[in-house]
Amino acid sequence: MKTRPIVLVAALALSACGNPTSTKAQEGEFAQPTRTAPSDAAGMKSSFAPVVRSAAPAVVNISARSVQRVQVDPFFQFFGGGIPQARVAESVGSGVIVRSDGIVVTNNHVIDGAQQIKVVLNDRREFPATVILADERSDIAVLRLENVSDRLPVLAIDDQEEQQVGDLVLAIGNPFGVGQTVTNGIISALNRTETGISDSGSFIQTDAAINPGNSGGALVDMDGDLIGINTAIFSRSGSSAGVGFAVPAAMVKRVVDSALGGAKTVVRPWLGVKGDTVTGDIAGSLGLSRPQGLVVTDVYPNSPAARAGVRQGDVITAIDGQEINDQGGLNYRIGSRAPNDQVQVAILRDGRAQTLTARVQTLPGEADPDKGLVIQQGPLQGAMVAQLTPALADRLGGDPFAAGVVVLGVSGRGYAASVFRQNDLLIAINGRQISTAADAQAASAGRGPWEVVINRGGRQIRGVLR
């Protein structure tokens, strides 16, 4: 079981729901929420069996194998004390069948780096699988089962976001490798953003037991629909402490749609604003009755927000009716949309509520980190640099509003290899401001010494190279 920073990953596979014999499932399309299970509400009060019976067949076990080289200390290797060896690593998790022709959703961390993936169905049938799209930011991966000859049971994706805190949910997965297991609980919270899992994630929190081996499983509501893929827990021991998080179905469907559309990456649109969470002090200064929303501190020129009329100082309170209270929540709401979608942006301006319409777009600029300029001389010799665009900054996990020239990588044994690190921002060389890759190349010409100013992780560093 792999772990992710800050939280222990413990995904849980919830059962596949929906009617496996529905017309859309037979046509190979996504299973759509049927809202038919359970049919007897009174019966559900005494047993979850109808939902489990419908959902469980679409929950699968995933085994991902990779071969890793074990490095040996070069000192001992030189004297014959060891040679590099291969070690087989195995990750076990869960997944959910979402299309009857063999499309499976799981966590990215379950299959990350795997050379061989095996999927075992609830009825013990086994299939090899290939990854058709892996999205690290959402921790969602989409697999295609090979050699599928008949239609498989599916779990309907319910991306309508109609859940409420207190709703009953089920978790179906394969914790600790003991076999398929069902746990139940409630939705403890919605729109959890400050979890440390992702800067663009908004998670469903549940107290349903989620343990190692459940990664990539489903969170199922009482209609038998997939409302989330469980991805992480907060725990000191590594076992469930009643605080688990699931990626909402809206983002899951976004990744699956991208995969089936032939994309190799999930293209996330943006609104073009950044801001600060409205604290109690800020709410008081703005005359708000309570801390609510995101106060806009910057609007990117000619961005969707700028064209829609969003201004610095506005307070964004909701996107399409969903409350926004921080930058992560805004990033998720916009990122779960497709480029060119229209969104309704609710704002407060001068104490008055307004609703603006924006058409979200992809981030502008070149996003390929392999298309940089390699500097051949001076203090940057061996460094690949590129002008930072919003698209490239986002791809590198940085601030899309940042400007300047970024170091994409270093090679060789020159100044660059000993001084610069990947993602350093070049600010100036010998007092000359660096705005483009051409500026960096020109400033590196001639003889030293060179006074170089960089930004590394938000900290400005100044040094002289001779």
Side-chain angles (χ1 to χ4, degrees):
M1 177 75 174
K2 298 181 181 179
T3 59
R4 301 178 63 201
I6 300 182
V7 293
L8 173 68
V9 170
L12 134 38
L14 287 181
S15 52
C17 78
N19 184 352
T21 60
S22 67
T23 302
K24 290 195 173 186
Q26 292 176 356
E27 293 173 353
E29 300 177 4
F30 287 118
Q32 298 298 315
T34 60
R35 298 294 186 188
T36 59
S39 58
D40 184 354
M44 279 306 305
K45 292 182 179 179
S46 60
S47 176
F48 295 111
V51 173
V52 176
R53 189 163 51 244
S54 171
V59 178
V60 300
N61 174 252
I62 297 175
S63 174
R65 294 167 60 89
S66 61
V67 178
Q68 302 174 351
R69 291 181 63 84
V70 179
Q71 298 297 323
V72 177
D73 190 315
F75 179 83
F76 292 103
Q77 186 177 350
F78 180 79
F79 289 101
I83 59 175
Q85 298 179 345
R87 179 175 66 89
V88 176
E90 185 168 347
S91 174
V92 178
S94 304
V96 182
I97 305 172
V98 295
R99 246 180 52 156
S100 60
D101 57 352
I103 299 300
V104 172
V105 174
T106 186
N107 279 143
N108 176 67
H109 73 262
V110 170
I111 54 83
D112 187 27
Q115 283 91 42
Q116 182 182 7
I117 302 173
K118 180 177 70 174
V119 174
V120 181
L121 273 59
N122 188 38
D123 61 10
R124 302 179 66 180
R125 283 182 292 171
E126 298 182 1
F127 295 91
T130 56
V131 179
I132 56 177
L133 193 153
D135 185 53
E136 183 177 1
R137 290 179 62 178
S138 64
D139 198 19
I140 296 296
V142 183
L143 314 180
R144 185 186 299 277
L145 304 188
E146 301 175 5
N147 308 320
V148 175
S149 58
D150 55 359
R151 298 193 177 280
L152 303 178
V154 296
L155 185 58
I157 299 177
D158 181 359
D159 63 342
Q160 299 305 303
E161 299 186 308
E162 297 172 341
Q163 297 81 34
Q164 298 181 32
V165 174
D167 283 353
L168 287 168
V169 290
L170 297 181
I172 308 174
N174 187 20
F176 303 110
V178 301
Q180 193 174 88
T181 303
V182 182
T183 57
N184 81 284
I186 64 170
I187 294 177
S188 305
L190 296 168
N191 303 319
R192 285 292 196 214
T193 54
E194 296 180 353
T195 60
I197 303 172
S198 169
D199 65 353
S200 59
S202 181
F203 298 90
I204 300 171
Q205 182 181 330
T206 178
D207 68 346
I210 299 174
N211 289 294
N214 286 136
S215 293
L219 192 64
V220 176
D221 65 11
M222 291 299 100
D223 291 322
D225 298 330
L226 175 69
I227 62 170
I229 294 293
N230 293 278
T231 191
I233 63 173
F234 280 134
S235 174
R236 296 182 183 275
S237 65
S239 297
S240 176
V243 184
F245 299 97
V247 178
M251 180 56 75
V252 175
K253 188 173 187 300
R254 178 85 176 86
V255 177
V256 174
D257 286 344
S258 297
L260 298 182
K264 299 303 180 184
T265 60
V266 179
V267 178
R268 289 175 172 81
W270 81 324
L271 187 62
V273 301
K274 68 176 181 178
D276 295 328
T277 298
V278 175
T279 63
D281 290 340
I282 294 175
S285 68
L286 296 175
L288 303 179
S289 59
R290 66 181 179 90
Q292 175 194 12
L294 182 79
V295 59
V296 176
T297 58
D298 203 353
V299 181
Y300 198 85
N302 200 35
S303 64
R307 293 194 295 271
V310 178
R311 303 175 189 170
Q312 188 176 8
D314 288 345
V315 177
I316 298 177
T317 58
I319 298 292
D320 287 337
Q322 298 291 330
E323 185 171 306
I324 299 297
N325 283 309
D326 54 32
Q327 188 71 48
L330 178 68
N331 293 345
Y332 169 78
R333 288 295 161 195
I334 300 301
S336 63
R337 304 298 192 267
N340 297 318
D341 279 356
Q342 282 192 345
V343 297
Q344 302 301 309
V345 184
I347 67 169
L348 289 174
R349 179 181 295 165
D350 298 327
R352 298 177 56 188
Q354 301 182 39
T355 299
L356 306 176
T357 300
R359 186 177 296 277
V360 296
Q361 303 289 341
T362 56
L363 284 81
E366 175 60 58
D368 190 348
D370 296 326
K371 292 185 177 180
L373 173 67
V374 178
I375 306 299
Q376 303 294 340
Q377 59 187 346
L380 296 175
Q381 183 178 359
M384 177 185 286
V385 301
Q387 183 173 352
L388 199 61
T389 66
L392 181 58
D394 184 70
R395 178 77 176 272
L396 298 175
D399 179 6
F401 281 71
V405 173
V406 62
V407 177
L408 298 173
V410 293
S411 62
R413 297 183 178 180
Y415 288 118
S418 61
V419 174
F420 298 103
R421 299 178 187 174
Q422 189 175 16
N423 293 344
D424 281 348
L425 283 179
L426 299 174
I427 306 299
I429 298 178
N430 285 340
R432 177 174 178 174
Q433 294 297 309
I434 305 299
S435 301
T436 67
D439 289 345
Q441 180 168 254
S444 297
R447 302 171 64 90
W450 298 277
E451 183 184 54
V452 179
V453 182
I454 65 172
N455 183 301
R456 177 176 295 163
R459 184 166 63 97
Q460 193 168 102
I461 302 174
R462 184 184 304 268
V464 177
L465 302 178
R466 299 182 186 277

